[in-house]
Amino acid sequence: MNCKICKAQAVVSLRSHNAAFCADCFRDFFSRQVQRGIRGHGAGELFSPQEKVLVALSGGKDSLALMLELKLLGYSVCGLFIDLAIPNSSREARAWVEKFCQKHGLELRVIDLAEEGLAIPLVKKRLKRPVCSVCGKIKRHYFNRAALDGGFAALATGHNLDDETARLLSNTLRWDKAYLLVQGPLLAAKKGFVRKVKPLWRLTEFETANYAFITGIEHHCAPCPYSQGASFSILKGLLQELERAMPGRKLDFYQAFLERGRKAFAPLDACDDEQLRPCAECGSPTSADQLCGVCRIRLALAKK
Ligand code: SF4
Ligand SMILES: [Zn+2]
Ligand SMILES: [Zn+2]
């Protein structure tokens, strides 16, 4: 098969775009998709070239691909890695991130949860709550704090089209109006919360994997040992089946939601901005009376 653009031997075939590309033309394709993603889709531009963006790096291919492409496009980016202190996982992921940032001359900030007294294995052992929900809460808290304290305009994550459509399907199956309302590549800043953006929303996992391979990105592959991930992988599998039978359906599903679906939930936007107040301990916004969720976790750990 030949490249659709330059007719050289193709190395990537994309049925959803009815195209095949050689390595160079695939990089151009990937870059165009990221730029289209940043221009947004009915939601406005995710960020401008003048704004500083903090990129959450997990060590996986998606966040590293995002970081590299944003840098190549000339955006002002800085990486953020949160070391969760999970054995056989965090140290390896951190090493990949540090090596990557060094290789490409990228600024990197690291938050060490063990130093914060919130190492995830300790949280898992001491608290009788599903570890992923607590871990997610802690990570969101520190991402937000680091972005606000560092004066960044936005926090970018490497969520791709597969992540986004699986989440959309999950939210739709439950008709979870509150989540459907805020789902999308751009979540505007509000009172104590930085703007959150997902510039890879037009690209599939397959496409970011090819980008990582072609650009020589070395990354962390092993899943987190605490990951249960079953429900999302089932949904991803279903969407993959759909995509196989109807190429392009995943992107259509997501784009149509952004254009037409999401506004159906808009009246709920009256949301509780008003009810948010600063945490008495750390100042982060919370709807609780005194302490935010993370400060309450810290307190619970201290009591045990
Ligand atoms: S899978 Fe691991 S990293 Fe992800 S939320 Fe769960 S504990 Fe945290
Ligand atoms: Zn080509
Ligand atoms: Zn707090």
Side-chain angles (χ1 to χ4, degrees), residues 177 181-182 190 265-273:
K177 292 182 185 177
L181 172 68
V182 294
K190 65 172 188 180
F265 306 101
L268 271 181
D269 203 7
C271 253
D272 30 36
D273 245 29

Side-chain angles (χ1 to χ4, degrees), residues 10 20 53 67 69 74 83 100 103 109 113 128 136 138 141 144 152 183 195 199 225 228 238 253 276 279 288 304:
V53 179
M67 181 80 170
E69 188 53 35
D83 190 327
F100 168 85
K103 176 176 171 187
R109 299 183 184 190
L113 287 189
K128 301 265 167 291
I138 294 173
H141 173 91
N144 192 54
F152 292 91
Q183 175 156 9
R195 185 192 325 157
Q228 282 161 0
L238 286 173
F253 175 47
L276 292 175
C279 163
K304 302 242 165 180

Side-chain angles (χ1 to χ4, degrees), residues 26-44:
F26 177 73
R27 284 183 70 157
D28 292 343
F29 161 83
F30 190 91
S31 193
R32 280 196 306 276
Q33 294 299 321
V34 173
Q35 290 174 76
R36 282 183 72 181
I38 293 171
R39 283 201 295 277
H41 200 91

Side-chain angles (χ1 to χ4, degrees), residues 279 282 292 295:
C279 163
C282 73
C292 74
C295 287

Side-chain angles (χ1 to χ4, degrees), residues 274-288:
E274 253 69 295
Q275 293 161 22
L276 292 175
R277 52 185 78 79
C279 163
E281 186 64 32
C282 73
S284 292
T286 176
S287 52

Side-chain angles (χ1 to χ4, degrees), residues 193-269:
F193 290 105
V194 73
R195 185 192 325 157
K196 295 187 187 69
V197 295
K198 298 170 183 168
L200 295 185
W201 67 270
R202 300 182 58 83
L203 288 149
T204 62
E205 210 159 309
F206 175 74
E207 289 157 358
T208 54
N210 273 283
Y211 178 85
F213 179 73
I214 286 169
T215 54
I217 293 176
E218 295 177 292
H219 55 89
H220 188 55
C221 295
C224 170
Y226 300 159
S227 164
Q228 282 161 0
S231 70
F232 261 37
S233 23
I234 291 171
L235 295 178
K236 282 186 177 176
L238 286 173
L239 286 160
Q240 210 47 37
E241 281 298 306
L242 181 69
E243 186 71 20
R244 242 191 298 276
M246 303 163 87
R249 228 27 235 279
K250 256 192 292 201
L251 188 55
D252 284 351
F253 175 47
Y254 194 64
Q255 280 192 163
F257 166 72
L258 297 178
E259 280 170 26
R260 303 189 293 278
R262 192 170 52 173
K263 55 171 95 113
F265 306 101
L268 271 181
D269 203 7

Side-chain angles (χ1 to χ4, degrees), residues 1-296:
M1 200 179 293
N2 292 339
C3 171
K4 178 184 172 178
I5 309 293
C6 73
K7 312 298 174 215
Q9 175 77 41
V11 295
V12 188
S13 164
L14 304 176
R15 282 185 70 209
S16 54
H17 292 271
N18 198 18
F21 297 107
C22 69
D24 287 346
C25 295
F26 177 73
R27 284 183 70 157
D28 292 343
F29 161 83
F30 190 91
S31 193
R32 280 196 306 276
Q33 294 299 321
V34 173
Q35 290 174 76
R36 282 183 72 181
I38 293 171
R39 283 201 295 277
H41 200 91
E45 193 180 47
L46 304 194
F47 47 87
S48 73
Q50 290 74 36
E51 291 181 309
K52 273 174 44 183
V53 179
L54 186 64
V55 183
L57 300 176
S58 62
K61 63 184 180 332
D62 299 291
S63 57
L64 297 181
L66 169 63
M67 181 80 170
L68 180 61
E69 188 53 35
L70 290 183
K71 184 217 164 173
L72 295 174
L73 287 170
Y75 286 97
S76 165
V77 283
C78 171
L80 172 66
F81 178 77
I82 298 189
D83 190 327
L84 307 172
I86 297 176
N88 305 318
S89 176
S90 300
R91 191 186 302 167
E92 290 78 356
R94 182 172 173 167
W96 285 118
V97 168
E98 287 173 343
K99 191 173 166 202
F100 168 85
C101 289
Q102 210 164 26
K103 176 176 171 187
H104 296 284
L106 291 158
E107 191 189 342
L108 172 67
R109 299 183 184 190
V110 174
I111 294 174
D112 194 326
L113 287 189
E115 285 173 14
E116 299 287 321
L118 290 168
I120 298 303
L122 178 79
V123 171
K124 183 176 186 292
K125 195 167 143 208
R126 299 262 185 93
L127 301 187
K128 301 265 167 291
R129 286 168 58 185
V131 64
C132 289
S133 91
V134 187
C135 177
K137 186 188 270 285
I138 294 173
K139 282 191 289 192
R140 285 193 296 277
H141 173 91
Y142 280 100
F143 284 150
N144 192 54
R145 282 235 68 92
L148 290 178
D149 294 350
F152 292 91
L155 171 78
T157 53
H159 292 99
N160 58 41
L161 183 65
D162 295 275
D163 301 321
E164 285 298 280
T165 46
R167 184 171 297 279
L168 177 56
L169 185 55
S170 162
N171 290 337
T172 305
L173 289 172
R174 290 178 287 109
W175 288 114
D176 192 323
K177 292 182 185 177
Y179 279 127
L180 284 164
L181 172 68
V182 294
Q183 175 156 9
L186 169 66
L187 189 58
K190 65 172 188 180
K191 248 190 177 173
F193 290 105
V194 73
R195 185 192 325 157
K196 295 187 187 69
V197 295
K198 298 170 183 168
L200 295 185
W201 67 270
R202 300 182 58 83
L203 288 149
T204 62
E205 210 159 309
F206 175 74
E207 289 157 358
T208 54
N210 273 283
Y211 178 85
F213 179 73
I214 286 169
T215 54
I217 293 176
E218 295 177 292
H219 55 89
H220 188 55
C221 295
C224 170
Y226 300 159
S227 164
Q228 282 161 0
S231 70
F232 261 37
S233 23
I234 291 171
L235 295 178
K236 282 186 177 176
L238 286 173
L239 286 160
Q240 210 47 37
E241 281 298 306
L242 181 69
E243 186 71 20
R244 242 191 298 276
M246 303 163 87
R249 228 27 235 279
K250 256 192 292 201
L251 188 55
D252 284 351
F253 175 47
Y254 194 64
Q255 280 192 163
F257 166 72
L258 297 178
E259 280 170 26
R260 303 189 293 278
R262 192 170 52 173
K263 55 171 95 113
F265 306 101
L268 271 181
D269 203 7
C271 253
D272 30 36
D273 245 29
E274 253 69 295
Q275 293 161 22
L276 292 175
R277 52 185 78 79
C279 163
E281 186 64 32
C282 73
S284 292
T286 176
S287 52
D289 270 352
Q290 286 280 321
L291 298 180
C292 74
V294 170
C295 287
R296 275 181 280 135

